[in-house]
Amino acid sequence: MISGNIGNSFWLLHAPFIFLVAVVAVDLGLNSDIDYDIEIFQYDNGDIGESTELILLATSNELTDILWTQVDGPDVEFYARNTKVISFTPQESGSYSFDVQYRIDGSQTVHSATHSL
């Protein structure tokens, strides 16, 4: 089991799992000269029918107005699409892509990132 604190969030994972990290390109709009450290982490064991989690992480910034959407792949059902963490269970093999939109530190600009698995 692995656990930790990230900002105001607490996470807890049970092994076995495969830890994959993807650094994501962030659309910074008018704030393109600011280097935000935004990442999406993926936790899963790589098996169909097993839970997969995607975690939006910003170690130095507050993220608000979060909205996850699936943009490619076989349909999956996930809950809490307005939080930093989504969880879903792929029922068939294939490529899955998700888009997440959010605001950084209360800015008016909406940023986005995409993660594929």
Side-chain angles (χ1 to χ4, degrees), residues 23-24 26 28 34-41 56-61 63 102 104:
V23 178
V24 198
V26 178
L28 297 177
I34 300 172
D35 183 25
Y36 292 111
D37 186 21
I38 310 293
E39 296 178 290
I40 296 177
F41 290 87
L56 180 62
L57 176 66
T59 56
S60 302
N61 304 94
L63 302 180
Y102 51 90
I104 300 174

Side-chain angles (χ1 to χ4, degrees), residues 13-113:
L13 299 171
H14 293 279
F17 64 89
I18 297 173
F19 178 72
L20 300 173
V21 178
V23 178
V24 198
V26 178
D27 174 11
L28 297 177
L30 298 175
N31 297 324
S32 60
D33 59 331
I34 300 172
D35 183 25
Y36 292 111
D37 186 21
I38 310 293
E39 296 178 290
I40 296 177
F41 290 87
Q42 175 183 335
Y43 292 95
D44 67 11
N45 66 7
D47 293 335
I48 299 301
E50 297 291 327
S51 180
T52 297
E53 289 79 29
L54 297 180
I55 301 164
L56 180 62
L57 176 66
T59 56
S60 302
N61 304 94
E62 179 184 356
L63 302 180
T64 57
D65 300 330
I66 298 168
L67 178 62
W68 292 88
T69 53
Q70 183 178 359
V71 294
D72 192 31
D75 289 341
V76 296
E77 185 173 350
F78 58 92
Y79 302 99
R81 66 181 62 243
N82 300 98
T83 64
K84 292 181 184 178
V85 180
I86 60 169
S87 180
F88 58 92
T89 303
Q91 297 300 319
E92 57 186 276
S93 63
S95 177
Y96 296 81
S97 293
F98 298 86
D99 182 69
V100 59
Q101 295 182 347
Y102 51 90
R103 295 183 192 276
I104 300 174
D105 296 331
S107 72
Q108 294 301 311
T109 304
V110 176
H111 304 274
S112 67

